[in-house]
Amino acid sequence: MDSAEQYYEAKAALEWQIELGADESIGDVPLDRYELVVEVPKPKAAANSKAKPKAAAAPIPIVEVDAVAVAKAAAAGAADLAGLEAALTAFELCEVKLGARKTVFADGNPQARVMIITEAPDRDEDREGKPFVGQAGVLLDRMLAAIGMGRDGPDPASAVYIANIMPWRPPQNRDPSADEIAMMHPFVTRHIELAAPDVIVLMGNNPCQTMLGRKGISRMRGIWEEVLGRPALPMFHPAYLLRSPHAKREAWADLLELKARLT
Ligand code: URA
């Protein structure tokens, strides 16, 4: 095989893996699991072959768990943000958590007047355990700086506090399902109650769906809504703005609208 053929064969193998859903490499060398030798323990020889067969074990009853009720109780029991983070980290009923490295709870100033509710962690956030540390986060920080705000500010008037609807990275960055959103709703609601911002920004479709029960961000953006008695402004998500730079004009108008509401 010449080097061009080797290149195309390797490229095709890589593309095939991406289609199967592999989106990062974990080990330095590939592991052929078909070649692994697995030791299967042999069943112990029966001491007396005429011994009576054991009675079948009683079936284990399957108990249906109401994940939303568990989430509501866990969230309601949190007296402060640290307690809520602990409750969320201990919540085991959301399947998305199984594939995630870290629980991404929040970033920024919890005393901020503005709380941004956003979608879900991506790969960088999953690694670092903080929202918006990747490219979309860089853009978000620039957008906020343009109106004199930022997540690092000690002054609550110009600071923001950021939390995700879904604190775990979904596989292949898929949208959370309706069941998963319903499970996260009590946590997000409690998060807003405890942070008590003056104004909420709903960044993207899933935050709108979770907090307002509907989506359609292109129609909803820039129009004030109410969430838990607080003004809430739907805005485009920065990841969408990276893909669709023409929408930055509308995002800028929404930022100015947010700024005006705070003064
Ligand atoms: N997008 C989000 O909505 N949240 C993050 O934390 C990162 C990217």
Side-chain angles (χ1 to χ4, degrees):
M1 202 186 297
D2 65 23
S3 59
E5 280 171 335
Q6 273 174 358
Y7 167 80
Y8 285 109
E9 186 164 296
K11 186 165 175 280
L14 200 55
E15 285 167 352
W16 182 70
Q17 290 189 29
I18 291 168
E19 262 177 45
L20 288 180
D23 59 359
E24 60 187 298
S25 66
I26 306 288
D28 290 339
V29 274
L31 179 62
D32 186 347
R33 293 186 186 278
Y34 290 105
E35 293 296 321
L36 287 180
V37 179
V38 179
E39 292 282 338
V40 180
K42 289 203 183 103
K44 282 193 192 131
N48 173 1
S49 57
K50 286 195 183 140
K52 275 196 202 159
K54 277 194 188 152
I60 299 168
I62 296 170
V63 182
E64 287 274 331
V65 176
D66 181 345
V68 176
V70 174
K72 273 188 188 159
D80 53 23
L81 291 171
L84 186 67
E85 180 170 9
L88 193 57
T89 306
F91 185 74
E92 299 293 346
L93 300 176
C94 183
E95 248 183 42
V96 177
K97 188 180 185 189
L98 298 178
R101 288 192 170 112
K102 296 216 170 122
T103 300
V104 179
F105 182 65
D107 192 28
N109 183 341
Q111 266 91 45
R113 291 190 66 200
V114 176
M115 179 167 183
I116 298 177
I117 311 282
T118 180
E119 305 256 357
D122 205 332
R123 186 191 327 208
D124 297 321
E125 290 78 20
D126 184 44
R127 282 215 178 104
E128 290 199 27
K130 254 170 66 166
F132 276 130
V133 293
Q135 268 195 322
V138 173
L139 177 58
L140 175 65
D141 287 338
R142 282 203 197 123
M143 289 162 63
L144 293 170
I147 53 165
M149 303 193 78
R151 62 174 113 176
D152 296 326
D155 178 4
S158 57
V160 298
Y161 182 58
I162 308 172
N164 289 301
I165 284 295
M166 169 57 67
W168 302 291
R169 182 193 182 194
Q172 279 99 56
N173 295 346
R174 67 159 170 77
D175 278 342
S177 68
D179 284 353
E180 289 158 356
I181 283 185
M183 276 178 230
M184 291 302 112
H185 185 264
F187 290 107
V188 183
T189 300
R190 189 76 187 123
H191 208 154
I192 295 171
E193 286 168 357
L194 291 169
D198 290 342
V199 170
I200 294 169
V201 172
L202 299 171
M203 246 170 196
N205 263 322
N206 290 317
C208 290
Q209 179 66 47
T210 309
M211 301 318 295
L212 300 171
R214 64 206 150 82
K215 53 185 175 183
I217 193 67
S218 300
R219 272 174 287 111
M220 294 169 75
R221 57 140 286 273
I223 303 171
W224 287 97
E225 303 277 351
E226 203 178 282
V227 168
L228 303 175
R230 295 160 207 278
L233 186 65
M235 279 186 63
F236 285 134
H237 191 282
Y240 171 73
L241 297 174
L242 287 172
R243 293 192 303 273
S244 316
H246 63 84
K248 284 184 182 168
R249 205 155 60 109
E250 284 139 324
W252 176 237
D254 298 344
L255 285 170
L256 294 178
E257 177 63 35
L258 172 67
K259 184 76 181 165
R261 185 82 188 214
L262 294 167
T263 47

